[in-house]
């Protein structure tokens, strides 16, 4: 099975099912509204700039982020998608002891293992996946860094600022870095930024992705915020011109588009509420997601692979959870997409319910 969402043809192949002419891909958690309109309007102008090398310091994009996040440019590093930043952080942590809060994005572990880190897990318990810091504290003595994704991928759960702050303080006491991946922060309506915490705590590294909200995963763009000492080390590992001109220009347009972000948040909240009411009525269990994806399982069957297969046969691609330690295939992850696609999912699940009640 593929280790990420998207690329449905690999999923059908792995499951030995003939790929239908039409299918709905709910396995990749990208903004269903697509990229901001402003991006296609400026694309022709951007095209003219591909004959020049990109600015290796990404200064004009940094200025937009500085304005938005109230941070100086030496606290910022622009990366070729969140995954490049994860790779750089893992390099920075080479051979150290890393604790990963699971279930979570599989790239942290992959990148850390390549850099010969000693990796261990702290597993959150389903179905609430509460972040119990008292249970975590004893493990911090034996860790040099922890990875936490918040809002969490794959559960969609948001841990409140108070919890994050306590976690950071306990880690500081134990001499442990906190890598906070906030790839989906901008899907949360009442989000409190944790970027300011980097100023107060030198052990915090915040990662942000720009490909999810602005639906530009093909462009690759993200940024890290942490103290200038760490930024220096991370950027030393980064290859020159790692972020291309088009991505840098697109990033400026996207970040200045506040209205697009608000429109997305409202849209996702409305669709999520509709879906969750349906799931409750039909006795499906979901994670308490605050973002544009969620976990779901049918408590009436032991093995969720049956539901996964049924959906594939009906042309709906969910994300399996076999490679999320702590989920081990017991849940399926779905992205919230267009109204029409979400309705189709509800239709197919209604069919499933009629045959599996």
């Amino acid at each position: 099975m593929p280790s990420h969402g998207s690329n449905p043809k690999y999923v059908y192949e792995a499951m030995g099912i003939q790929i239908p002419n039409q299918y709905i891909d709910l396995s990749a958690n990208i903004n269903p509204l697509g990229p901001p309109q402003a991006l296609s309007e400026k694309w022709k102008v951007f095209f003219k700039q591909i004959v020049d090398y990109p600015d290796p310091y990404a200064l004009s994009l940094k200025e937009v982020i500085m304005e938005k996040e109230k941070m100086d440019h030496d606290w910022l590093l622009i990366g070729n998608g969140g995954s490049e930043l994860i790779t750089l952080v893992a390099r920075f942590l080479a051979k150290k002891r890393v604790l990963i809060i699971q279930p979570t994005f599989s790239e942290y572990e992959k990148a850390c293992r390549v850099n010969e880190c000693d990796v261990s897990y702290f597993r959150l318990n389903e179905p609430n996946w509460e972040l119990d810091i008292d249970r975590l504290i004893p493990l911090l003595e034996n860790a040099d860094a922890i990875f936490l994704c918040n809002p969490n991928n794959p559960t969609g759960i948001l841990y409140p600022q108070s919890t994050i702050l306590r976690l950071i303080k306990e880690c500081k006491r134990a001499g442990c870095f906190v890598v906070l991946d906030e790839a989906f922060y901008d899907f949360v309506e009442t989000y409190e930024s944790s970027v300011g915490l980097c100023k107060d705590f030198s052990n915090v590294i915040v990662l942000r992705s720009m490909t999810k909200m602005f639906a530009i995963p093909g462009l690759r763009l993200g940024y890290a915020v942490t103290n200038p000492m760490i930024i220096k080390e991370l950027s030393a590992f980064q290859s020159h011109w790692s972020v291309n001109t088009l991505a840098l220009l697109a990033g400026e347009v996207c970040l200045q588009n506040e209205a697009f972000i608000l429109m997305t948040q409202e849209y996702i909240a409305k669709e999520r509420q509709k879906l969750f009411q349906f799931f409750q009525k039909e006795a499906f269990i979901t994670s308490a997601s605050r973002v544009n994806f969620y976990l779901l399982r049918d408590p009436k069957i032991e093995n969720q692979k049956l539901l996964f297969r049924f959906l594939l046969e009906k042309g709906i691609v969910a994300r399996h959870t076999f490679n999320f330690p702590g989920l081990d295939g017991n849940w399926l992850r779905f992205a919230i997409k267009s109204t029409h696609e979400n309705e189709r999912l509800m239709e197919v699940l209604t069919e499933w319910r009629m045959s599996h009640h």
Side-chain angles (χ1 to χ4, degrees):
M1 295 290 272
S3 60
H4 292 291
S6 95
N7 293 330
K9 66 177 198 303
Y10 298 131
V11 178
Y12 277 102
E13 230 165 77
M15 291 291 286
I17 300 171
Q18 178 69 40
I19 191 161
N21 295 331
Q22 282 190 306
Y23 56 80
I24 297 175
D25 183 9
L26 301 183
S27 72
N29 32 25
I30 301 298
N31 190 339
L33 302 181
Q37 185 59 42
L39 208 50
S40 56
E41 287 162 12
K42 300 204 168 169
W43 201 249
K44 267 204 163 68
V45 185
F46 290 174
F47 181 76
K48 295 191 176 91
Q49 299 194 42
I50 65 174
V51 296
D52 300 319
Y53 280 95
D55 168 10
Y57 305 107
L59 290 180
S60 43
L61 177 56
K62 277 184 187 166
E63 268 170 22
V64 178
I65 298 169
M66 283 156 58
E67 179 65 27
K68 228 178 132 89
E69 298 295 339
K70 309 285 175 266
M71 294 304 261
D72 289 333
H73 68 93
D74 51 352
W75 290 70
L76 297 173
L77 180 66
I78 310 295
N80 187 6
S83 55
E84 185 195 24
L85 297 166
I86 292 166
T87 306
L88 298 175
V89 168
R91 180 87 190 273
F92 167 72
L93 297 171
K95 299 200 159 115
K96 291 194 168 19
R97 298 164 303 174
V98 172
L99 181 63
I100 299 178
I101 298 178
Q102 295 280 11
T104 199
F105 188 45
S106 59
E107 286 299 312
Y108 314 142
E109 177 168 2
K110 214 168 123 193
C112 287
R113 291 216 182 270
V114 167
N115 288 287
E116 298 174 40
C117 296
D118 175 6
V119 177
S120 56
Y121 296 162
F122 177 75
R123 293 190 187 212
L124 306 178
N125 298 326
E126 58 180 60
N128 299 327
W129 295 282
E130 263 165 76
L131 185 48
D132 179 352
I133 294 183
D134 293 321
R135 194 164 64 90
L136 181 59
I137 291 171
L139 303 177
L140 297 177
E141 293 308 315
N142 294 316
D144 299 308
I146 67 166
F147 276 82
L148 173 65
C149 184
N150 188 42
N152 178 270
N153 175 16
T155 62
I157 288 171
L158 176 74
Y159 299 105
Q161 190 77 332
S162 53
T163 306
I164 299 298
L165 190 56
R166 186 168 171 226
L167 175 67
I168 289 170
K169 284 179 175 164
E170 292 297 346
C171 286
K172 181 81 179 157
R173 201 168 293 145
C176 177
F177 287 106
V178 179
V179 184
L180 207 51
D181 182 353
E182 300 194 322
F184 297 94
Y185 82 101
D186 40 10
F187 285 93
V188 178
E189 289 179 279
T190 50
Y191 178 78
E192 300 171 89
S193 177
S194 47
V195 160
L197 299 174
C198 297
K199 283 255 159 79
D200 304 326
F201 299 95
S202 56
N203 62 324
V204 179
I205 303 173
V206 176
L207 305 181
R208 296 266 177 92
S209 162
M210 290 169 59
T211 58
K212 313 282 195 252
M213 168 55 74
F214 302 111
I216 51 169
L219 266 182
R220 317 300 312 129
L221 189 63
Y223 61 93
V225 189
T226 182
N227 69 75
M229 304 283 286
I230 300 178
I231 291 286
K232 260 203 183 78
E233 288 199 50
L234 295 177
S235 59
F237 297 134
Q238 190 178 36
S239 62
H240 210 58
W241 304 305
S242 129
V243 185
N244 71 72
T245 302
L246 292 173
L248 292 173
L249 291 165
E252 285 184 59
V253 169
C254 290
L255 283 181
Q256 288 165 322
N257 204 327
E258 289 285 342
F260 177 82
I261 298 171
L262 290 172
M263 180 172 76
T264 300
Q265 290 173 351
E266 278 171 29
Y267 173 81
I268 296 290
K270 194 177 87 226
E271 289 295 315
R272 189 176 56 229
Q273 195 182 0
K274 212 162 43 179
L275 284 160
F276 280 26
Q277 278 171 345
F278 166 83
F279 298 144
Q280 205 176 352
K281 186 171 106 298
E282 295 295 339
F284 289 98
I285 299 176
T286 56
S287 58
S289 171
R290 295 281 304 278
V291 290
N292 60 321
F293 56 85
Y294 52 89
L295 291 179
L296 174 139
R297 64 189 304 265
D298 183 355
K300 300 183 180 195
I301 54 166
E302 193 51 46
N303 188 348
Q304 301 300 311
K305 206 168 178 179
L306 296 170
L307 175 57
F308 185 62
R309 176 175 287 279
F310 177 85
L311 290 165
L312 285 172
E313 284 165 354
K314 299 281 177 187
I316 289 186
V317 186
R319 168 72 161 87
H320 72 87
T321 58
F322 292 108
N323 65 329
F324 287 106
L327 293 184
D328 312 312
N330 292 327
W331 297 79
L332 301 177
R333 192 189 72 192
F334 295 86
I336 295 173
K337 298 292 271 258
S338 70
T339 305
H340 162 73
E341 290 167 317
N342 299 334
E343 277 166 3
R344 177 70 190 136
L345 172 63
M346 292 189 270
E347 274 169 30
V348 171
L349 287 175
T350 304
E351 275 179 61
W352 164 265
R353 257 294 163 260
M354 287 160 85
S355 53
H356 294 77
H357 48 75

